[in-house]
Amino acid sequence: MSHAAYVFDAYGTLFDVHAAVRKHAGAMGPDGQAFSDLWRAKQLEYSWIRTLMGTHTDFWTLTEQSLDYAFARFPSADRKLRAALLDAYWHLDCYPEVPAVLKNLKHRGARIAILSNGTPQMLQSAVKKAGLDLIIDDIFSVETVRAFKTSPAVYDMVTTTYRLYPNAVSFQSSNRWDVAGATKFGFRTVWINRGDMPDEYADFGPALILPSLESL
């Protein structure tokens, strides 16, 4: 089924959020993966709590704060790696199939966009590093509405800008909670279940579940 716009979450969907820690795996020690998992979990938790409280702090600041929490929880991790890990987050690897998939969709005449919690600067850096800057038409950052996903105001940026009904938008995310929010908004959703995780939010299910973007 063809759609007018294909919109992608960034972190975990296009870009590997664990690439920063993996880049320094040798120096991180045995707790590296658990450290990375906690860093990501707290980054998201902080975004949800901020939005629920009706306040806003940009995603880069939350990334720093969640990293500091991970260091506090894992004393085995060398705090001297803090600057290197943060720098690596600006240049995350994209998943291998991403460039070809996005080029194919663009070739069909669809608009290609990112809709992300990240700041414009974070997203532009990641897109440029991955060589996607000539493929992606638009980057929608939550900084415009100063609320994080799954606030309806975030998803509404796409339909308002493109003057489309929600069901004309195909939205892809690796985050099941993000898929639930986008489904509730009215997007046609695709869950990119990279980790083969069990389903949840059964009342807001995706139209399609894929193990990667390759079959999109």
Side-chain angles (χ1 to χ4, degrees):
M1 185 176 179
S2 193
H3 286 77
Y6 287 82
V7 180
F8 297 83
D9 169 62
Y11 298 113
T13 305
L14 298 180
F15 307 111
D16 184 355
V17 294
H18 299 294
V21 170
R22 191 166 56 249
K23 183 177 180 181
H24 300 280
M28 288 296 298
D31 294 323
Q33 188 56 58
F35 181 101
S36 189
D37 289 341
L38 182 64
W39 184 10
R40 173 62 170 167
K42 284 297 176 180
Q43 181 193 50
L44 294 174
E45 178 188 323
Y46 294 169
S47 73
W48 298 328
I49 296 302
R50 290 282 179 176
T51 296
L52 286 169
M53 290 193 301
T55 187
H56 184 74
T57 299
D58 70 75
F59 201 59
W60 179 245
T61 301
L62 300 187
T63 300
E64 293 177 309
Q65 292 174 352
S66 54
L67 176 60
D68 290 335
Y69 181 84
F71 274 122
R73 283 286 304 275
F74 289 95
S76 62
D78 187 353
R79 283 184 176 269
K80 292 179 182 177
L81 292 170
R82 185 181 188 274
L85 290 172
L86 289 172
D87 180 69
Y89 214 91
W90 285 87
H91 310 96
L92 294 176
D93 297 331
C94 72
Y95 289 100
E97 80 277 12
V98 167
V101 170
L102 268 57
K103 285 178 184 177
N104 183 44
L105 292 172
K106 191 176 181 70
H107 183 70
R108 297 184 202 172
R111 286 172 167 169
I112 308 297
I114 285 176
L115 177 64
S116 173
N117 281 339
T119 67
Q121 295 83 2
M122 291 173 70
L123 296 169
Q124 288 161 7
S125 176
V127 166
K128 186 174 181 179
K129 189 267 179 186
L132 302 176
D133 44 325
L134 297 180
I135 305 172
I136 293 171
D137 297 303
D138 296 289
I139 296 175
F140 296 96
S141 166
V142 301
E143 287 304 298
T144 300
V145 295
R146 296 183 64 78
F148 291 106
K149 297 174 181 178
T150 56
S151 169
V154 174
Y155 307 109
D156 187 57
M157 286 191 292
V158 174
T159 51
T160 298
T161 300
Y162 288 163
R163 297 185 179 182
L164 293 172
Y165 289 110
N167 62 8
V169 175
S170 181
F171 178 73
Q172 290 66 227
S173 179
S174 64
N175 301 297
R176 185 61 181 88
W177 51 269
D178 190 12
V179 168
T183 300
K184 173 64 167 58
F185 183 76
F187 285 165
R188 184 260 193 179
T189 56
V190 181
W191 180 28
I192 309 302
N193 188 7
R194 295 189 182 276
D196 194 26
M197 301 299 288
D199 196 12
E200 50 190 338
Y201 310 109
D203 47 342
F204 297 108
L208 188 63
I209 302 174
L210 298 174
S212 74
L213 289 167
E214 193 168 4
S215 301
L216 189 61

